[in-house]
């Protein structure tokens, strides 16, 4: 049973992370976030680029000083890096999960703990965005986005639970290695 749970967990993570990175395509261009299924095709990459490039000068209050406008431009530039970092991390997590599938399932226990924590955190973020828990919510979260993130709560928490169950009930790696030497 634990072997099946381990295969399912790592397989689900690899599929989810590769799938999101492939669909959204935000690794090289943060404005590809418009491909996110949550947005249902609303907006375009060109509109995103215009918003990010002109936001500091056109959307800043007119009484902003030149330094404040520059700071706003820098903030928008840093915010445009975050989706690319997210995509890189998602791809790395997916590659790590695919690699774990090549290992004997008993040797995956340390990875199962790490991946369980990753999915637990993703579940907590989705719960926060959905308004289920008051953790870091902002006024920028719309009712539409809250609704769209709701299904990610049970998905991530179930995957986290399966990883943590696998980790908790799989013999420690050093026990496995010591048994394999005596056999």
């Amino acid at each position: 049973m634990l072997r099946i749970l381990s295969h399912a967990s790592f397989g689900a993570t690899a599929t989810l992370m590769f799938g999101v990175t492939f669909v959204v395509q935000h690794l090289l261009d943060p404005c590809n976030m418009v491909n996110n299924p949550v947005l249902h095709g609303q907006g375009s990459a060109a509109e995103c680029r215009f918003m990010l490039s002109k936001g500091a000068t056109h959307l800043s209050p007119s009484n902003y000083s030149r330094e404040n406008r520059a700071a706003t431009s820098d903030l928008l530039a840093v915010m445009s890096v975050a989706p690319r970092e997210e995509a890189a991390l998602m791809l790395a997590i997916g590659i790590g999960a695919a690699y774990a599938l090549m290992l004997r399932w008993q040797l995956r226990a340390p990875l199962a703990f790490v991946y369980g924590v990753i999915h637990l955190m993703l579940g907590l973020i989705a719960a926060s965005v959905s308004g289920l828990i008051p953790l870091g919510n902002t006024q920028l979260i719309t009712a539409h986005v809250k609704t769209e993130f709701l299904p990610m709560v049970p998905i991530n928490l179930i995957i986290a639970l399966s990883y943590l169950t696998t980790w908790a009930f799989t013999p420690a790696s050093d026990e496995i290695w010591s048994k394999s030497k005596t056999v």
Side-chain angles (χ1 to χ4, degrees), residues 122-137 141 146-147 149-155 157:
L122 290 173
L124 289 174
I125 289 169
S128 171
V129 169
S130 298
L132 297 176
I133 59 173
L135 177 68
N137 232 341
I141 306 296
K146 283 182 180 183
T147 303
F149 267 79
L150 195 56
M152 294 310 296
V153 176
I155 290 170
L157 294 181

Side-chain angles (χ1 to χ4, degrees), residues 10 33 35 37 46 48 55 66 85 93 99-100 103-104 108-109 118 126 132 164 169 177 181:
F10 283 103
M33 287 298 291
N35 297 328
C48 171
R66 177 168 280 169
E85 292 174 330
I93 290 168
Y99 170 76
L103 300 173
R104 285 190 9 228
R108 298 178 196 158
I118 289 169
L132 297 176
L164 295 175
F169 294 106
W177 285 110
K181 290 178 186 174

Side-chain angles (χ1 to χ4, degrees), residues 161-174:
L161 182 61
S162 65
Y163 274 124
L164 295 175
T165 300
T166 301
W167 166 74
F169 294 106
T170 300
S173 295
D174 57 351

Side-chain angles (χ1 to χ4, degrees), residues 30-31 47-56 73 76-77 79-80:
C31 285
E47 290 170 323
C48 171
R49 281 188 212 87
F50 176 80
M51 182 177 60
L52 290 175
S53 66
K54 302 296 183 192
S73 292
L76 289 170
M79 289 173 67
S80 74

